[in-house]
Amino acid sequence: MKWTIDKKHEGMTVRHYLQNVRGFSRRLLRSIKHDGGFIKVNGKPEHLAFLLTAGDVLAVRFPEEKKGVYMQPEPVPLSIVYEDDAILVLNKPAKMATIPSRHHPTGTLANGILHHYKTNDIPYTIHVVTRLDRNTSGLVLVAKHKYSHSILSADQKAGGIRRKYQAIVEGDLAQPKGSICLPIGRKDGSIIERTVTQAGKKATTHYTTVRKTNEHTFVDIELETGRTHQIRVHFAHIGHPLAGDNLYGGSCQRINRQALHCCELILHHPITKKRLVFTSALPNDMAKLFA
């Protein structure tokens, strides 16, 4: 990546310019320095304390990225919503893991993305910004390289990336609109389950009822925090587990996965800073519960 230094940035050190103007994290700068990347000014290698002058051309090359043992290209069908040189937005179906693991080493979204990269000669690996559980469907944001990932991760921590969900919960919610503000932590004796506990981290879920049947309530949801299994744990705790979520007490009689879908993703592009809004339609298995 290259930038020509403006007059207003003259006198900045390379470190100050990259961190404060271009959004590089300290971790990313350390990686460039120690893992095989480079920083050059006017074609000459320079250190981070070098003082920049207007008209200088600052070039950065990132180290080659290492892929995990399960990160292998595989021709997995992908639903790509948006793609450019910095980011990728996909619509993930239910029953597909986001990244490979010991339990799901193949057939994941990441395996499919790596195949897409290989087919199109894209020299990157996977940096998932907004991950979804295997049985949750909807929009997933992926950064293509360390630079965009660094910026998006900082935006996410600051609340600059918003996700909206649709869920179908069991029973009739007493309040048509509300917020669930209960701390969530790991459940004792389990490496998977979470629970509401005072020893947990702050978690806030806002919901609005859209429609009802005799058995279920359809809700729109927006998260203020992003704890593991947050939506599932919060609604189960108040007596309304998600339909199909047998881990937290939901029935699989009408749907065989948790009825949860990420329907909207809002962010500012890491490079252009343009506001982007993406949407995803409710999948058929959830829609059938209200057919």
Side-chain angles (χ1 to χ4, degrees), residues 145-159:
H145 46 68
K146 286 185 175 181
Y147 178 43
S148 57
H149 186 230
S150 177
I151 294 171
L152 290 169
S153 293
D155 287 351
Q156 189 173 36
K157 288 179 181 178

Side-chain angles (χ1 to χ4, degrees), residues 41 139 149:
V41 179
L139 297 168
H149 186 230

Side-chain angles (χ1 to χ4, degrees), residues 70-74 76 100 105-116:
Y70 297 119
M71 287 289 197
Q72 300 299 325
E74 188 181 348
V76 176
T106 62
T108 74
L109 195 70
N111 293 125
I113 293 170
L114 287 175
H115 183 267
H116 172 69

Side-chain angles (χ1 to χ4, degrees), residues 118-278:
K118 182 178 180 180
T119 302
N120 293 280
D121 198 26
I122 301 171
Y124 300 126
T125 187
I126 309 299
H127 301 277
V128 179
V129 182
T130 61
R131 184 173 172 176
L132 294 178
D133 294 339
R134 177 174 175 266
N135 286 333
T136 299
S137 56
L139 297 168
V140 174
L141 172 62
V142 174
K144 280 193 168 180
H145 46 68
K146 286 185 175 181
Y147 178 43
S148 57
H149 186 230
S150 177
I151 294 171
L152 290 169
S153 293
D155 287 351
Q156 189 173 36
K157 288 179 181 178
I161 297 177
R162 294 171 56 197
R163 284 187 286 175
K164 295 182 180 180
Y165 294 83
Q166 295 168 321
I168 298 172
V169 305
E170 296 188 350
D172 185 353
L173 284 170
Q175 299 294 328
K177 186 175 183 179
S179 299
I180 307 171
C181 306
L182 296 167
I184 292 176
R186 193 183 297 274
K187 185 177 181 179
D188 290 342
S190 176
I191 61 172
I192 299 173
E193 289 182 76
R194 267 50 176 186
T195 188
V196 168
T197 170
Q198 290 307 310
K201 295 181 179 180
K202 175 185 175 183
T204 301
T205 302
H206 306 290
Y207 71 87
T208 302
T209 296
V210 178
R211 49 184 165 156
K212 300 179 181 182
T213 67
N214 292 332
E215 299 178 0
H216 299 109
T217 303
F218 186 109
V219 288
D220 284 339
I221 297 169
E222 189 163 359
L223 300 182
E224 199 170 296
T225 52
R227 308 301 175 206
T228 300
H229 296 182
Q230 179 173 322
I231 294 171
R232 300 165 65 188
V233 170
H234 270 170
F235 280 98
H237 184 80
I238 65 171
H240 297 279
L242 271 62
D245 190 4
N246 58 358
L247 182 64
Y248 292 107
S251 170
C252 295
Q253 186 174 355
R254 298 283 305 279
I255 185 171
N256 63 357
R257 58 101 172 185
Q258 67 251 15
L260 182 61
H261 179 70
C262 182
C263 62
E264 186 169 294
L265 173 67
I266 304 171
L267 67 141
H268 285 88
H269 193 276
I271 310 301
T272 67
K273 306 306 178 185
K274 181 181 177 182
R275 184 175 183 268
L276 301 174
V277 180
F278 303 103

